[in-house]
Amino acid sequence: MSTAYRNGTLPKGGLKVDRPLSMNSSTKSSASFKSKTVGHTPVSGPRRKSTGSVGNSAANTKDGTSVSGRVRVAVRLRPRNAEEMVSDADFADCVELQPELKRLKLRRNNWDSDTYEFDEVLTEFASQKRVYEVVAKPVVESVLDGYNGTVMAYGQTGTGKTYTLGRLGEEDTADRGIMVRAMEDILSEITPEKDSISVSYFQLYMESIQDLLDPVNDNISIVEDPKTGDVSLPGATTVDIRDQKSFLELLRVGEAHRFAANTQLNTESSRSHAMLMVHVERFVKGRDSVISSENGSTSHTAKAFKPPVVRKSKLVVVDLAGSERIDKSGSEAHTLEEAKSINLSLSALGKCINALAENSAHVPVRDSKLTRLLRDSFGGTARTSLVITIGPSPRHRGETASTIMFGQRAMKVENMLKIKEEFDYKSLSRRLEMQLDKQIAEHERQQKGFKDDIERIGQEAQVRIAEAEKGYAEALERERLQYQSDYMDAISKLEEQWSANKQKHENEKAKSSVLSASMEVAELKKLFENEIISRKAAEEEIDNLKNQLAQWKRSEAAGNSEILKLRKMLENEKCQKAKLEEEIAVLQSQLLQLSFEADETRRNLDRGETEKLPGTLDSPIPPFMHQHLGDSGVGEKTSMAKLFEQVGLQKILSLLESEDADVQIHAVKVVANLAAEEANQERIVKAGGLKSLLTLLRSSNDETIHRVAAGAIANLAMNETNQELIMSQGGISLLSVTAAKAEDPQTLRMVAGAIANLCGNEKLQPKLRAEGGVKALQGMVRSRHPDVLAQVARGIANFAKCESRAYTQGSKTGKSLLIEDGTLPWIVQNANNEASPIRRHIELALCHLAQHEVNAKDMIRGGALWELVRISRDCSRDDIRTLAYRTLTSSPSFQAELKRLRIDYG
């Protein structure tokens, strides 16, 4: 009996969806779960008026408050199949349903039965639509309101879990399962221009997480956020969804890659747990905030820019593989191993639910990858709905009873529902920058127009003055010549008349009497008086012209005064420009301060709500990484790329050389946040960012700069190429000197994290030791701070692991460098440390050191043998416990010492 892909196989590679995206509408249902007493009083969260799911609680609840919500459980009965029709024809069904009372009776025998109550009881005649409305629709509506949600199917193999959740309904649309109907409702509610939906589809097979959309990606690791405890799969393929057609194609590809096998109980039995993860991001209307100035007042500029509020939620649909008994399923060979793995993971899930139902202090969520993936669904912040599927056959009464008891215990689990809302400060920043650019451009345009107007008015005034002066001069000259000509003509006429009169007088002298002579003289006097009057009139005209010329000169003076006023206005405009530039600089400073205050606020919130969880021991952990970059996915990487394009990396790096310490601190924080993304690290190194950070460590005396710079270097040290560059530029020496001088635990934690990442490169170990890296780790033990000690322990574990690999490859034969440098006593002393991260790193380091016989005698003398015996018996991690046991049993020196001490260990 062999395992194969469901529905055949497809070529290897990821899924590409490049067809046009559109949104299909679907009819909204109003079915809901009803609260029912099941051995205790259930507590449910706020309910929508139409569906009973979490509704408008965000409007009445501030960000960060939690709402209690019990896990809702429905039971669904599968009708008899063809085999049961024949084999169980003479026997009654082992269960009796009372859907109107939401009860189920499980028969012990013909006269006795047990009664159980559930939130919903679905008969074998219940339609797929009915199942969706009572089981999944309230959860989907909660997800649309900003809560996380989980829909899960549990039951014996062959009872209809995959049919309930993953049926595509290609032949009959009425057969569509929960996955298809949930996506229809989500697509009908979102706004494609603002909101976004992305989907991941993977399976848990033999404790290995495999991507159903890219079969080549068959070993995805689980990443837990050390601050919030959120579980994510960054290695899984994520596909953006815009219409139902592309989503159905995605489900077909995923189902084709899922493992299935033919057993005696089911001809197509799922051999893996399948999970569909839908991420929804929605912009919230009417929830924008207002930015206030430093004195608390709200400026007119700030009122125009409000950061939008984004709700991020997640819907997880889990199709668990069916539990089975080996003697009934007939599993053998590889199928038997699959069945064991399935039963172990379901058993771990049952233990967690038992612990939660009994309010136990310890919940063993780390016993299985399934429980780690579902930690938010049971006892977390998600609204969870569970449907248990059972069969009617009396031959499987034991499995049916186990399934019913699983559902009964799950109904006792309480979750604390919580909306996740964030301010989109990046969008606000882009809007502010666009508005600043627009205002600057408008100001420059107005200033240029004003200058052009001034120049034009001045030129026109000069032309008008010149024309007026020229016209007045020409008119004056014409008037003067005219009056001069008239004067000369009058004189000539008078002289001629006088000559004529004189001649006449001489001719008539004899005839004229004295009276006539006197009359002639009187007439001449009168003529001279008239001439004098004409001359005075000409002089008055000349005076008028002079007055007009003076008036034009005064007009010219007034024009010059106007030009001076315009020049003064130009100087005032220059002063206004300087003030506007100062205001723009202040706005830019406020914008930068707003960005850093947002980061600080987010870190304070995260620090207040997060429980400390250890990371994966075998992988380096970046000690300084910004939170909102880790959840963003592809959209956050795109936003960071836009930030590079808009601000410019060279400009950010140039601020590292500023003489202002505050500017240097802000700049190095920005570089550290950018370095947290692997996509940015190469660009930072090429632009000289690594060299600038090392220079800061060397030249600056500010411990804050040392702390943040060490964190940025730790992020860059996640890359093997960057590790070699750090070593070649003397980075380990600078980190060692910084560790020797620093007293602040956070600075020591950052430095220890950077050195710990470098310890994971076996090529650099000799140089790392020679330049004081190991000694620096030993020296930082003086802090005794648990975070510092955890990073020191991680570095020692990475160093020991690389040495173990070198021993295996034959490139190293001598004693461990850690033992030679005297690190073993501290390792033995902290092997049973109360802090889980320190203890597990030290346990792993001891196991790696003990794998090679050349270190055995020193470890026996140092007391490490007893710690190895303890680890092999009491360690909570199976892999470390197994490694310790294998090391003790395979080492002749350890076996001889144990035999000498009369300790039976074989």
Side-chain angles (χ1 to χ4, degrees):
M1 197 175 299
S2 61
T3 302
Y5 283 130
R6 186 187 299 270
N7 299 334
T9 60
L10 288 180
K12 292 184 177 180
L15 172 65
K16 280 190 175 181
V17 180
D18 53 2
R19 54 175 44 90
L21 300 177
S22 62
M23 185 171 66
N24 299 330
S25 62
S26 62
T27 304
K28 197 171 183 181
S29 176
S30 61
S32 63
F33 281 133
K34 296 182 179 178
S35 177
K36 193 75 176 178
T37 303
V38 188
H40 65 286
T41 302
V43 180
S44 60
R47 307 170 72 90
R48 292 173 68 99
K49 293 182 180 180
S50 61
T51 63
S53 65
V54 174
N56 299 325
S57 60
N60 303 322
T61 306
K62 295 182 179 179
D63 294 344
T65 39
S66 300
V67 179
S68 176
R70 177 175 60 80
V71 175
R72 317 292 292 178
V73 181
V75 59
R76 186 181 193 186
L77 177 63
R78 170 183 59 76
R80 287 194 177 193
N81 54 32
E83 181 184 353
E84 292 170 346
M85 289 286 188
V86 177
S87 58
D88 298 336
D90 297 332
F91 300 95
D93 292 346
C94 66
V95 293
E96 178 186 348
L97 303 184
Q98 297 177 332
E100 65 281 354
L101 299 177
K102 300 186 187 300
R103 290 179 182 174
L104 176 149
K105 288 186 178 182
L106 179 64
R107 290 192 177 92
R108 295 182 181 178
N109 45 48
N110 291 335
W111 56 87
D112 194 10
S113 62
D114 296 322
T115 302
Y116 301 94
E117 292 185 356
F118 289 94
D119 295 300
E120 193 68 41
V121 175
L122 301 168
T123 68
E124 64 270 31
F125 305 109
S127 66
Q128 290 281 75
K129 180 180 179 181
R130 169 65 177 167
V131 173
Y132 170 72
E133 288 176 346
V134 301
V135 174
K137 191 175 182 67
V139 178
V140 173
E141 292 180 343
S142 296
V143 171
L144 290 171
D145 288 336
Y147 296 88
N148 289 343
T150 302
V151 178
M152 188 171 70
Y154 177 91
Q156 182 188 8
T157 181
T159 54
K161 298 182 297 301
T162 302
Y163 177 83
T164 300
L165 296 180
R167 191 75 171 183
L168 299 182
E170 294 176 327
E171 298 177 358
D172 186 357
T173 56
D175 289 340
R176 289 170 298 159
I178 287 176
M179 292 181 181
V180 177
R181 294 176 184 270
M183 183 56 67
E184 288 176 353
D185 280 358
I186 292 175
L187 287 172
S188 67
E189 290 292 330
I190 68 164
T191 303
E193 293 78 11
K194 295 182 179 180
D195 307 333
S196 64
I197 302 174
S198 59
V199 171
S200 298
Y201 198 14
F202 52 90
Q203 65 179 349
L204 178 60
Y205 176 71
M206 300 284 286
E207 282 301 300
S208 174
I209 301 176
Q210 302 178 2
D211 198 333
L212 290 175
L213 305 181
D214 184 8
V216 178
N217 190 9
D218 59 358
N219 190 15
I220 302 173
S221 59
I222 300 175
V223 176
E224 296 182 12
D225 192 299
K227 294 182 178 180
T228 64
D230 291 340
V231 175
S232 61
L233 301 174
T237 301
T238 302
V239 179
D240 291 334
I241 300 297
R242 292 294 181 184
D243 58 15
Q244 190 72 7
K245 185 176 181 181
S246 61
F247 178 68
L248 290 175
E249 182 177 347
L250 180 145
L251 290 182
R252 292 190 197 97
V253 173
E255 284 299 312
H257 290 145
R258 190 174 175 189
F259 286 103
N262 183 9
T263 68
Q264 294 179 5
L265 296 177
N266 191 356
T267 58
E268 195 175 351
S269 175
S270 300
R271 313 309 290 169
S272 65
H273 306 298
M275 294 189 185
L276 177 71
M277 193 173 293
V278 182
H279 296 271
V280 180
E281 291 188 10
R282 302 190 70 188
F283 282 82
V284 182
K285 297 181 180 178
R287 291 291 306 279
D288 296 341
S289 64
V290 179
I291 303 173
S292 298
S293 58
E294 293 181 357
N295 59 4
S297 63
T298 304
S299 66
H300 294 289
T301 304
K303 286 182 179 179
F305 303 101
K306 302 176 182 179
V309 179
V310 180
R311 284 182 179 174
K312 296 182 178 180
S313 57
K314 177 176 64 178
L315 172 64
V316 181
V317 183
V318 186
D319 182 9
L320 295 175
S323 59
E324 62 183 59
R325 293 180 59 179
I326 307 304
D327 56 344
K328 291 185 177 181
S329 64
S331 300
E332 58 185 12
H334 185 69
T335 309
L336 177 60
E337 296 299 322
E338 292 174 340
K340 290 180 179 179
S341 177
I342 292 170
N343 289 339
L344 284 174
S345 60
L346 293 177
S347 175
L349 177 61
K351 291 178 180 178
C352 289
I353 290 179
N354 288 344
L356 290 169
E358 296 169 1
N359 293 323
S360 175
H362 172 66
V363 181
V365 295
R366 309 191 70 84
D367 287 356
S368 170
K369 288 186 178 180
L370 177 62
T371 54
R372 291 178 66 189
L373 289 170
L374 296 177
R375 66 181 304 166
D376 191 48
S377 303
F378 293 96
T381 62
R383 175 175 287 278
T384 301
S385 182
L386 170 67
V387 55
I388 59 173
T389 58
I390 59 175
S393 176
R395 291 184 294 123
H396 305 305
R397 184 191 179 282
E399 290 81 351
T400 301
S402 175
T403 301
I404 291 173
M405 294 310 299
F406 179 90
Q408 289 287 296
R409 289 189 293 268
M411 291 178 68
K412 298 178 182 180
V413 177
E414 292 281 346
N415 293 348
M416 298 303 293
L417 312 184
K418 183 178 179 182
I419 292 180
K420 183 177 181 182
E421 291 185 349
E422 296 179 357
F423 289 126
D424 192 356
Y425 287 104
K426 292 185 178 178
S427 175
L428 174 62
S429 174
R430 289 193 295 271
R431 288 166 56 191
L432 287 173
E433 290 176 356
M434 290 172 62
Q435 186 65 18
L436 283 175
D437 293 341
K438 183 178 179 181
Q439 290 182 354
I440 292 171
E442 180 65 20
H443 174 71
E444 292 177 350
R445 185 188 64 77
Q446 292 178 354
Q447 187 178 13
K448 182 178 179 182
F450 185 69
K451 288 182 179 178
D452 293 343
D453 291 341
I454 291 176
E455 292 178 359
R456 180 179 55 78
I457 293 172
Q459 291 175 358
E460 291 179 355
Q462 292 290 342
V463 171
R464 291 174 61 186
I465 291 172
E467 290 178 352
E469 290 178 347
K470 183 178 179 181
Y472 291 145
E474 291 177 352
L476 183 61
E477 183 65 20
R478 285 194 301 271
E479 291 290 336
R480 187 184 68 79
L481 292 175
Q482 181 68 33
Y483 284 120
Q484 186 177 2
S485 175
D486 293 343
Y487 179 76
M488 294 305 294
D489 291 343
I491 295 297
S492 298
K493 289 179 179 180
L494 287 173
E495 287 178 351
E496 291 176 356
Q497 188 175 3
W498 184 79
S499 298
N501 290 333
K502 184 178 180 182
Q503 185 67 31
K504 184 179 180 180
H505 177 70
E506 288 178 354
N507 293 332
E508 295 177 356
K509 186 174 181 181
K511 298 178 180 180
S512 299
S513 61
V514 177
L515 181 61
S516 62
S518 62
M519 292 175 64
E520 184 69 22
V521 171
E523 186 176 357
L524 287 174
K525 286 182 178 179
K526 187 176 181 180
L527 288 173
F528 273 114
E529 288 176 357
N530 293 333
E531 186 64 27
I532 290 171
I533 292 171
S534 299
R535 186 172 181 177
K536 287 182 178 179
E539 288 176 353
E540 289 177 358
E541 186 70 21
I542 291 172
D543 291 336
N544 290 332
L545 291 174
K546 288 181 178 179
N547 291 333
Q548 289 183 5
L549 180 60
Q551 186 176 358
W552 279 110
K553 287 183 178 180
R554 285 194 297 271
S555 299
E556 179 183 4
N560 292 333
S561 175
E562 184 178 359
I563 291 173
L564 291 175
K565 289 181 180 179
L566 291 175
R567 288 178 178 172
K568 188 174 181 181
M569 290 174 64
L570 178 60
E571 291 176 357
N572 291 336
E573 284 297 322
K574 289 182 179 178
C575 294
Q576 278 190 344
K577 177 186 176 183
K579 290 180 180 179
L580 285 174
E581 289 176 348
E582 291 177 359
E583 185 177 354
I584 289 170
V586 170
L587 286 175
Q588 290 175 340
S589 175
Q590 290 177 352
L591 178 61
L592 182 60
Q593 182 67 23
L594 176 63
S595 175
F596 284 109
E597 288 177 356
D599 293 341
E600 189 65 22
T601 302
R602 186 180 292 106
R603 284 194 294 271
N604 291 336
L605 291 174
D606 292 340
R607 197 178 305 121
E609 297 176 359
T610 305
E611 61 175 297
K612 295 184 178 179
L613 295 173
T616 304
L617 294 179
D618 293 338
S619 62
I621 303 173
F624 189 80
M625 185 173 290
H626 201 280
Q627 171 68 21
H628 93 284
L629 293 177
D631 296 335
S632 39
V634 177
E636 286 295 293
K637 292 182 180 178
T638 303
S639 298
M640 190 59 67
K642 289 183 178 178
L643 181 62
F644 267 11
E645 294 174 0
Q646 294 174 359
V647 179
L649 181 59
Q650 289 295 343
K651 184 175 180 181
I652 296 174
L653 295 179
S654 65
L655 295 177
L656 296 177
E657 301 175 2
S658 174
E659 295 180 359
D660 191 339
D662 292 336
V663 174
Q664 280 187 328
I665 291 173
H666 289 316
V668 76
K669 285 182 178 179
V670 172
V671 173
N673 285 334
L674 293 175
E677 271 195 65
E678 184 177 357
N680 299 332
Q681 293 177 0
E682 182 178 357
R683 296 179 64 180
I684 292 174
V685 173
K686 285 184 178 180
L690 176 59
K691 185 176 179 181
S692 299
L693 292 171
L694 294 175
T695 302
L696 278 178
L697 282 182
R698 184 184 297 108
S699 60
S700 177
N701 295 324
D702 191 295
E703 188 151 352
T704 302
I705 293 179
H706 286 174
R707 178 174 68 253
V708 184
I713 293 172
N715 289 342
L716 293 175
M718 297 291 293
N719 183 280
E720 184 174 353
T721 303
N722 294 342
Q723 292 173 357
E724 296 176 357
L725 289 174
I726 292 171
M727 293 295 293
S728 65
Q729 296 181 19
I732 190 63
S733 300
L734 290 174
L735 290 171
S736 300
V737 172
T738 304
K741 295 180 179 179
E743 295 296 334
D744 180 53
Q746 296 304 320
T747 303
L748 291 174
R749 179 175 72 88
M750 296 298 180
V751 175
I755 297 176
N757 288 343
L758 295 174
C759 286
N761 192 328
E762 60 186 275
K763 301 177 184 177
L764 306 178
Q765 286 199 335
K767 189 173 182 180
L768 182 70
R769 183 203 183 198
E771 293 185 7
V774 178
K775 291 293 184 183
L777 286 175
Q778 294 174 348
M780 284 185 280
V781 172
R782 72 182 185 277
S783 171
R784 297 185 180 181
H785 193 280
D787 292 343
V788 179
L789 296 182
Q791 294 299 325
V792 172
R794 184 171 68 87
I796 291 174
N798 288 343
F799 199 96
K801 181 181 177 182
C802 290
E803 279 193 333
S804 176
R805 191 182 298 115
Y807 281 121
T808 304
Q809 295 173 353
S811 58
K812 181 175 178 61
T813 57
K815 189 186 300 183
S816 169
L817 299 179
L818 293 173
I819 295 178
E820 290 182 357
D821 287 343
T823 311
L824 184 60
W826 184 84
I827 295 175
V828 174
Q829 181 182 357
N830 289 272
N832 198 17
N833 195 292
E834 294 180 357
S836 176
I838 301 173
R839 182 176 69 254
R840 292 183 181 177
H841 285 303
I842 293 301
E843 289 174 348
L844 187 63
L846 274 175
C847 292
H848 284 305
L849 289 174
Q851 281 186 304
H852 308 287
E853 194 68 16
V854 69
N855 301 326
K857 293 183 179 180
D858 291 295
M859 296 186 72
I860 292 173
R861 286 196 297 270
L865 177 60
W866 298 108
E867 292 301 329
L868 286 171
V869 173
R870 179 191 62 76
I871 293 170
S872 68
R873 293 174 176 175
D874 302 332
C875 181
S876 61
R877 282 183 59 123
D878 293 339
D879 53 347
I880 299 178
R881 187 169 64 250
T882 303
L883 181 60
Y885 178 83
R886 187 170 63 247
T887 300
L888 288 172
T889 55
S890 62
S891 171
S893 298
F894 289 148
Q895 285 292 309
E897 181 67 12
L898 292 171
K899 185 175 181 181
R900 186 183 69 81
L901 296 173
R902 296 181 181 179
I903 296 176
D904 185 13
Y905 199 93

